[in-house]
C-alpha cells in the first residue's frame, strides 16, 4: 500500500463498521475500492460475504477485473454488481412470491413505450408521440415514490393502473421494478432478507451520490444487522436528481449509521492546480455540501481560455479550428479531447463544424448497438422464446418478416385472448387448432406456421447449448436477409450493413457462451445482461482517435487531456427550465458545471456566445454567472482566432506528405 496517501490507506484498512468515504473528483476512488476489497480478502474475510454495488456494468467489470488481477485468480464467489443486476438476481430466485414467474422479461424504454401505446389503444385513448415519454416519466416517478400517485394527471391515473396490470399479465418488469420489487420481497418476507443478510456481511456502494431512495433502502436493509456498510461518493458530483438520485442519502446514511467513520479523499491525481482552483472556486458557493477542497501536487497549470464567439455557428468553427491547431502545434490526439454541452440540442452546430473542418468525432452516449432495429428484432424473437407471455415481443416479430397478418386478424386474436383471459401466444394456438376457428384459412395457416416456428426453436434456445448457432439457424429460417432487402429495395449497402450487424450479434452471443467466467450462460441470463448493459457496444474500435462530443451528464466519470465547455451562457448553464421548475436547482446546476471542469486533466477552453438563435429568433446572450465564480486570475480571455505561421504550415504539409508516402 506504499502508493496510497494517508487518507486512502485509512479507508482501505478500515474493514468493520459503517464507513463514509467522501471521494472528490480524481482522488483515486476506484483504486481505494479495489485495494480495500483486496485487503479484506487478504485479512481472511470470505469473498462470498462481500457485496460491491455500482451503477454501470463497465464499472463493475473494471472493479472486479482489478481485484482479480491483484489476486491472480478468478474470485467466483465475490459479488461485484450493478444495483439493477443484483435486483435481477434476487427476482430470478424469489419473483414467485410476488406472483411472477422466473422467466420474466425486462422491458427497456422502447418496450415500455410500445406497451403504453397498446394499453392506451385498448382504453380508447390516443397518446401523441411526445406525450408517451412524458407519461412514462410520471409513471416512473409514481412507482418509485418521487411523486404521489394521486398527483398524476387525472387523465393518466386509470391508464396507469391498466399499464401496471398489463406488465404483470405479460410477466414483465421494468428498470424501476428491478429495485422496487426486491424491497417488497425483503419487507414482506423477512426470512428471505435474513438469508441475504447472513450471506453479505459487508456491503459496499460506489457512486453513492447517484443512489435513489429505493437503492439506498436496499443497502440499509442488507447492512442493518452487521453494520458493515461502506458508501463511497462525492456530494459535489450529485447531478442526477431528474432520474431519481436522492441528494439526502448522505444525511440518511449518517442518521441510520450514527457510529460511522468519515474519511475525505481530497488529493486529486487527475487535474492541474489551475483546474482545481477554478473548480473549488465554483463549488464552494454551494451551501448544501460536505466541506472539502481538492488539491494536487501538479503545479504546471495553464490558464482557462474563455472566448466569446459571435454566434453558435462561429462557436463550432472556433472549437474545431482550436482542436486542429492543438493537434498541429502540440501533437494532441483527437481522442484526448472532450467537447461538453449542457443539452443534446447544442451539439448540432458543433457536429456541422466538425464535419466541415474534417475533425473526426464521436457522439458519446449515442444509439447503442443493441438498440438498432435489426438487433432489436432478433432480441424480440429470443425474448418471445424465453417468455411466450411477452405480448410486446410477439407483436414485434409477428410480421417481421412480413407474414400477411393484418389488423383484422390481430383484433380477432386480441378479442379471443381477452375472452379466454390468456396471452396472445395462447390465443394463436387456440385459434389455429380450433375446429371453429374465427380466422380465415390463410391467416390460420400463417399463424400456425409462426406458432410451429416458435415451438420448434423454444426447446433449442432453452437447452443451454449452442445458442449462437441456434440464432443463426433461426435468422436463416425466417429469411431475414430477404426481409432487409425488401425493406430497403433501393439501398443494398444499408441492407448488407444491417445483416452484418446481425452477424456481429451472433458472434457476440458465441463469445458470451464461451466465456469461462459465465457460470450459467443461459438464455435468461443473456437477455438480462444485454437489457441492463445496452450502452456497451460490441465494437467501439471505429471511434478510436475521435473527438468525444457529449453532454456533461454523460461525461461524469470520464476524463480528457483537453476539455471544451461550449454554450456557457446564462439560461444554458444554469439551465433556465431547471430553475423554473425549482429555484433550489441552482446548486445542482453548479455541481454540473463543477463536473465539467473536473473532467479536464491539462487544459480547459470555454465558449460563451454573444448571441444565439432560439427557435426562429436571434437573442442576445449573457455569460453564465458561474464564470464569475472562477477566480479572475485563472482566466485568459481570447478572441478565438488563432493563425498558423508560415513555418508551421510547411511543417504540417511535410508531415502530411511523409504520412502519405508511408501508406
Amino acid at each position: 500500500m506504499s502508493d496510497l496517501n494517508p487518507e486512502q490507506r485509512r479507508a482501505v484498512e478500515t474493514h468493520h463498521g459503517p464507513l463514509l468515504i467522501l471521494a472528490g473528483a480524481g482522488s483515486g476512488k476506484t483504486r481505494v475500492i479495489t485495494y480495500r476489497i483486496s485487503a479484506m480478502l487478504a485479512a481472511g474475510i470470505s469473498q462470498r460475504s462481500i457485496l460491491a454495488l455500482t451503477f454501470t456494468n463497465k464499472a463493475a467489470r473494471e472493479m472486479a477485473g482489478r481485484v482479480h488481477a491483484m489476486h491472480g485468480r478468478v474470485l467466483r464467489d465475490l459479488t461485484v454488481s450493478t444495483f439493477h443486476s443484483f435486483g435481477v438476481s434476487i427476482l430470478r430466485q424469489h419473483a414467485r412470491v410476488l406472483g411472477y414467474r422466473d422467466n420474466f422479461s425486462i422491458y427497456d424504454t422502447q418496450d415500455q413505450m410500445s406497451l403504453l401505446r397498446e394499453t392506451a389503444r385498448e382504453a380508447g385513448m390516443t397518446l401523441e408521440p411526445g406525450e408517451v415519454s412524458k407519461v412514462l416519466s410520471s409513471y416512473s416517478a409514481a412507482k418509485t415514490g418521487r411523486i404521489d400517485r394521486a398527483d398524476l394527471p387525472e387523465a393518466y391515473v386509470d391508464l396507469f393502473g391498466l399499464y401496471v396490470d398489463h406488465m404483470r399479465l405479460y410477466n414483465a418488469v421494468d428498470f424501476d421494478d428491478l429495485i422496487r420489487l426486491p424491497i417488497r420481497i425483503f419487507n414482506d418476507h423477512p426470512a428471505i432478507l435474513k438469508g441475504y443478510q447472513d450471506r453479505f456481511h459487508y456491503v459496499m456502494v460506489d457512486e453513492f451520490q447517484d443512489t435513489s431512495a429505493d437503492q439506498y433502502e436496499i443497502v440499509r436493509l442488507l447492512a442493518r444487522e452487521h453494520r458493515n456498510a461502506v458508501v463511497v461518493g462525492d456530494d459535489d458530483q450529485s447531478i442526477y436528481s431528474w432520474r431519481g438520485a436522492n441528494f439526502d442519502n448522505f444525511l440518511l446514511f449518517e442518521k441510520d449509521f450514527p457510529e460511522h467513520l468519515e474519511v475525505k479523499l481530497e488529493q486529486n491525481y487527475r487535474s492541474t492546480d489551475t483546474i482545481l482552483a477554478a473548480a473549488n472556486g465554483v463549488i464552494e458557493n454551494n451551501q448544501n455540501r460536505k466541506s472539502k477542497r481538492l488539491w494536487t501536487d501538479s503545479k504546471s497549470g495553464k490558464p482557462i481560455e474563455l472566448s466569446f464567439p459571435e454566434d453558435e455557428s462561429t462557436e463550432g468553427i472556433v472549437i474545431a479550428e482550436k482542436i486542429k491547431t492543438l493537434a498541429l502545434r502540440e501533437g494532441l490526439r483527437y481522442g484526448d479531447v472532450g467537447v461538453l454541452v449542457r443539452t443534446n440540442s447544442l451539439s448540432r452546430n458543433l457536429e456541422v463544424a466538425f464535419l466541415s473542418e474534417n475533425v473526426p468525432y464521436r457522439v458519446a452516449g449515442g444509439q447503442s448497438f443493441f438498440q438498432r432495429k435489426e438487433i432489436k428484432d432478433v432480441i424480440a424473437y429470443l425474448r418471445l422464446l424465453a417468455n411466450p407471455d411477452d405480448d410486446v415481443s410477439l407483436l414485434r416479430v409477428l410480421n417481421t418478416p412480413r407474414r400477411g397478418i393484418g389488423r383484422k386478424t390481430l383484433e380477432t386474436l386480441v378479442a379471443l385472448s381477452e375472452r379466454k383471459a390468456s396471452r396472445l401466444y395462447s390465443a394463436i394456438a387456440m385459434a389455429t387448432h380450433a375446429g371453429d376457428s374465427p380466422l380465415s384459412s390463410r391467416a390460420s395457416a400463417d399463424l400456425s406456421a409462426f406458432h410451429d416456428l416458435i415451438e420448434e426453436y423454444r426447446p433449442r434456445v432453452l437447452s443451454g447449448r449452442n445458442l449462437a448457432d441456434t440464432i443463426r439457424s433461426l435468422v436463416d429460417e425466417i429469411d431475414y436477409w430477404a426481409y432487409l432487402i425488401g425493406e430497403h429495395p433501393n439501398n443494398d449497402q444499408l441492407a448488407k450493413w444491417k445483416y452484418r450487424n446481425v452477424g456481429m450479434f451472433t458472434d457476440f452471443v458465441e463469445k458470451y457462451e464461451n466465456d469461462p467466467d459465465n457460470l450459467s450462460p443461459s438464455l435468461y441470463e443473456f437477455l438480462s445482461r444485454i437489457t441492463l448493459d445496452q450502452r456497451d457496444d460490441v465494437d467501439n474500435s471505429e471511434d478510436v482517435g475521435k473527438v468525444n462530443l457529449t453532454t456533461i451528464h454523460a461525461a461524469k466519470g470520464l476524463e480528457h487531456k483537453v476539455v471544451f465547455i461550449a454554450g456557457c451562457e446564462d439560461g444554458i448553464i444554469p439551465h433556465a427550465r431547471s430553475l423554473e421548475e425549482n429555484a433550489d436547482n441552482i446548486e445542482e446546476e453548479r455541481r454540473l458545471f463543477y463536473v465539467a471542469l473536473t473532467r479536464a486533466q491539462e487544459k480547459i477552453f470555454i465558449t460563451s456566445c454573444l448571441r444565439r438563435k432560439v427557435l426562429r429568433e436571434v437573442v442576445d446572450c449573457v455569460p453564465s454567472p458561474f464564470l464569475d465564480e472562477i477566480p479572475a486570475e485563472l482566466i485568459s480571455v481570447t478572441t478565438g482566432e488563432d493563425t498558423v505561421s508560415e513555418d508551421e504550415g510547411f511543417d504540417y504539409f511535410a508531415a502530411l506528405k511523409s504520412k502519405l508516402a508511408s501508406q
Side-chain angles (χ1 to χ4, degrees), residues 59-72:
R61 286 194 295 270
E62 180 182 358
M63 190 185 304
R66 289 195 186 189
V67 175
H68 293 166
M70 294 176 74
H71 282 263

Side-chain angles (χ1 to χ4, degrees), residues 381-526:
Y381 268 103
L382 296 179
R383 288 170 61 168
L384 179 63
L385 291 166
N387 176 17
D389 290 337
D390 186 348
D391 281 3
V392 169
S393 293
L394 185 148
L395 290 170
R396 182 184 186 99
V397 303
L398 193 56
N399 273 318
T400 306
R402 306 294 177 191
R403 294 186 173 90
I405 299 168
R407 181 176 62 85
K408 186 176 180 180
T409 300
L410 286 177
E411 288 176 349
T412 301
L413 291 173
V414 169
L416 179 60
S417 69
E418 290 177 350
R419 190 166 63 250
K420 299 291 187 180
S422 68
R423 305 272 43 86
L424 283 176
Y425 186 73
S426 298
I428 290 174
M430 288 186 285
T432 55
H433 291 86
D436 57 345
S437 174
L439 304 174
S440 68
S441 57
R442 178 178 176 181
S444 182
D446 290 338
L447 286 170
S448 181
F450 174 77
H451 187 270
D452 290 346
L453 175 77
I454 301 302
E455 289 299 300
E456 175 191 351
Y457 276 89
R458 191 156 193 261
R460 293 173 63 178
V461 299
L462 296 180
S463 69
R465 301 186 302 274
N466 303 320
L467 179 58
D469 287 339
T470 302
I471 296 172
R472 293 185 182 104
S473 175
L474 175 63
V475 170
D476 287 343
E477 185 154 341
I478 65 175
D479 202 357
Y480 194 74
W481 165 245
Y483 167 72
L484 290 175
I485 289 293
E487 289 292 292
H488 308 283
N490 300 317
N491 195 338
D492 287 354
Q493 290 302 314
L494 179 58
K496 290 178 182 178
W497 182 77
K498 287 178 173 289
Y499 196 69
R500 188 162 55 246
N501 285 339
V502 173
M504 290 174 62
F505 175 76
T506 53
D507 291 344
F508 176 75
V509 174
E510 189 167 48
K511 183 178 179 182
Y512 167 83
E513 285 186 287
N514 297 327
D515 187 345
D517 288 339
N518 290 331
L519 300 181
S520 178
S522 69
L523 176 61
Y524 299 129
E525 294 300 326
F526 175 75

Side-chain angles (χ1 to χ4, degrees), residues 217-245:
E217 180 63 8
I218 286 182
V219 174
R220 187 189 70 83
L221 289 170
L222 289 173
R224 185 171 60 190
E225 182 175 347
H226 296 287
R227 316 294 291 175
N228 297 317
V230 179
V231 296
V232 187
D234 182 9
D235 55 334
D236 289 335
Q237 296 185 71
S238 180
I239 59 174
Y240 292 123
S241 65
W242 50 276
R243 70 181 190 193

Side-chain angles (χ1 to χ4, degrees), residues 109-157:
T109 301
Q110 289 189 18
D111 298 322
Q112 290 177 266
M113 292 174 73
S114 296
L115 176 59
L116 183 60
R117 292 190 194 98
E118 182 63 27
T119 305
R121 278 195 293 269
E122 290 183 18
M125 297 176 60
T126 301
L127 297 178
E128 299 299 325
E131 191 179 9
V132 174
S133 59
K134 178 182 177 182
V135 174
L136 274 182
S137 295
S138 64
Y139 286 179
S140 175
K143 289 175 70 173
T144 57
R146 284 178 280 145
I147 64 172
D148 193 280
R149 181 169 173 172
D151 294 332
L152 288 171
E154 185 176 350
Y156 301 150
V157 173

Side-chain angles (χ1 to χ4, degrees), residues 32 45 143 160 164 180 187 301 317 336 383 389 438 478 516 524 533 542 567 580 600 620 638 651 657-658:
V32 168
I45 294 174
K143 289 175 70 173
F160 178 57
V164 172
R180 187 178 60 89
N187 286 329
I317 297 299
D336 289 333
R383 288 170 61 168
D389 290 337
I478 65 175
Y524 299 129
D533 201 12
E542 63 184 25
E580 287 171 5
D620 292 332
T638 66
D651 291 341
K657 182 178 179 180
S658 175

Side-chain angles (χ1 to χ4, degrees), residues 342-343 345-346 566-580 586 589 592 608-609 612 614 619-626:
R342 174 62 177 84
T343 64
S345 61
L346 297 177
C568 199
E569 301 136 31
D570 194 16
I572 297 178
I573 307 178
H575 201 277
R577 188 183 309 147
S578 177
L579 299 187
E580 287 171 5
I586 185 65
E589 290 292 312
L592 194 60
S608 177
C609 290
R612 183 179 292 273
V614 179
V619 299
D620 292 332
C621 300
V622 176
S624 169
F626 296 152

